[in-house]
Amino acid sequence: QVQLVESGGGLIQAGGSLRLSCRASLRPFSYFTLGWYRQAPGKEREFVGISSWNGGATYYADSMKGRSTISRDNAENTVSLEMDNLKPDDTAVYYCIAVKMYGNYLQPDYWGQGTQVTVSS
């Protein structure tokens, strides 16, 4: 049974920082690409970023480059998203995702339930 459970969302003022976490039940954990998507109100889900199976490579959406860090701890079965300099348009539900080996990160295999991030002006 696969579960991805996000935590760490909340209300943050613009310019602040936030760290989201996701705990996964995936086995073996290290064979999956892990990452994050988000969905703003009234909009479709969009890609945020991913981390490779061993955490050695990351790829971010343009809006996240330079102010976000995705990290994974395979011993603890967690992946995190740290965001700095938050903006009001970062307001969204953030989803943890997992991609099988040889899978396509644009078509994630597993999704969490999401955690709300609201950035005030």
Side-chain angles (χ1 to χ4, degrees):
Q1 297 181 4
V2 175
Q3 287 193 27
L4 303 171
V5 182
E6 304 93 338
S7 63
L11 177 62
I12 303 293
Q13 288 191 337
S17 300
L18 191 66
R19 182 182 178 92
L20 306 179
S21 296
C22 171
R23 184 171 297 278
S25 64
L26 302 166
R27 296 290 186 277
F29 187 84
S30 295
Y31 290 178
F32 291 84
T33 294
L34 302 175
W36 298 84
Y37 274 65
R38 68 183 183 182
Q39 185 170 24
K43 298 183 179 180
E44 297 184 357
R45 293 182 183 182
E46 65 174 334
F47 171 74
V48 173
I50 51 171
S51 176
S52 65
W53 68 274
N54 65 352
T58 54
Y59 176 65
Y60 302 96
D62 288 343
S63 63
M64 294 295 182
K65 292 178 180 177
R67 66 187 186 98
S68 299
T69 302
I70 293 176
S71 303
R72 59 190 294 170
D73 186 339
N74 290 343
E76 297 293 331
N77 296 339
T78 59
V79 60
S80 66
L81 171 64
E82 181 179 337
M83 298 180 287
D84 301 317
N85 192 26
L86 286 163
K87 311 175 189 302
D89 60 3
D90 291 321
T91 295
V93 176
Y94 284 73
Y95 296 91
C96 181
I97 60 96
V99 182
K100 295 178 180 178
M101 186 170 57
Y102 307 123
N104 184 351
Y105 75 91
L106 296 177
Q107 299 177 358
D109 296 290
Y110 304 107
W111 296 80
Q113 293 298 310
T115 185
Q116 177 71 48
V117 173
T118 302
V119 184
S120 65
S121 59

